[in-house]
Amino acid sequence: METLILNRKEQGNNINTTELTPHLQLKERVDTFSTLADTKDVDQQLQLFTEDAVVASYVNGEAVASFEEREAIGQAFLTTLTSSTRFTISMVNKL
């Protein structure tokens, strides 16, 4: 396997493609999620989550809502489409 070394100036160290791959996969998933949110395609968005996923909504760094399992997450997404309330989702990669 070929290894590409990239320099991360802010940390002063190198990263190889093996380390970079999970980060790129997460970025791709977040980009896909955002595109589906723009088109309001909740069914496809939900396919990005595992059945036991947890989504938390934060305001000023404080958790204000939490949704567990794909079905509850879908209901929360659908509710936000029909209300004036909006929330931001931050996906956390557990490597």
Side-chain angles (χ1 to χ4, degrees):
M1 177 168 83
E2 182 180 335
T3 300
L4 171 67
I5 303 297
L6 301 174
N7 186 282
R8 289 192 284 183
K9 293 178 185 175
E10 70 277 2
Q11 294 181 2
N13 58 8
N14 294 323
I15 184 170
N16 65 41
T17 54
T18 303
E19 295 170 338
L20 188 60
T21 298
H23 300 283
L24 292 174
Q25 289 171 335
L26 180 60
K27 182 189 180 315
E28 180 179 318
R29 183 158 291 212
V30 170
D31 290 348
T32 300
F33 178 87
S34 297
T35 300
L36 292 169
D38 289 344
T39 61
K40 298 176 178 31
D41 191 341
V42 173
D43 291 334
Q44 288 299 311
Q45 276 183 310
L46 291 178
Q47 297 310 305
L48 300 172
F49 293 91
T50 60
E51 285 292 334
D52 61 349
V54 176
V55 171
S57 179
Y58 291 84
V59 174
N60 296 325
E62 185 176 326
V64 295
S66 181
F67 310 99
E68 297 182 19
E69 299 184 356
R70 192 184 294 165
E71 185 176 333
I73 294 166
Q75 287 302 312
F77 289 175
L78 288 171
T79 298
T80 62
L81 290 178
T82 59
S83 74
S84 60
T85 304
R86 298 287 182 250
F87 58 89
T88 302
I89 296 177
S90 298
M91 295 182 177
V92 178
N93 188 9
K94 296 180 182 179
L95 297 178

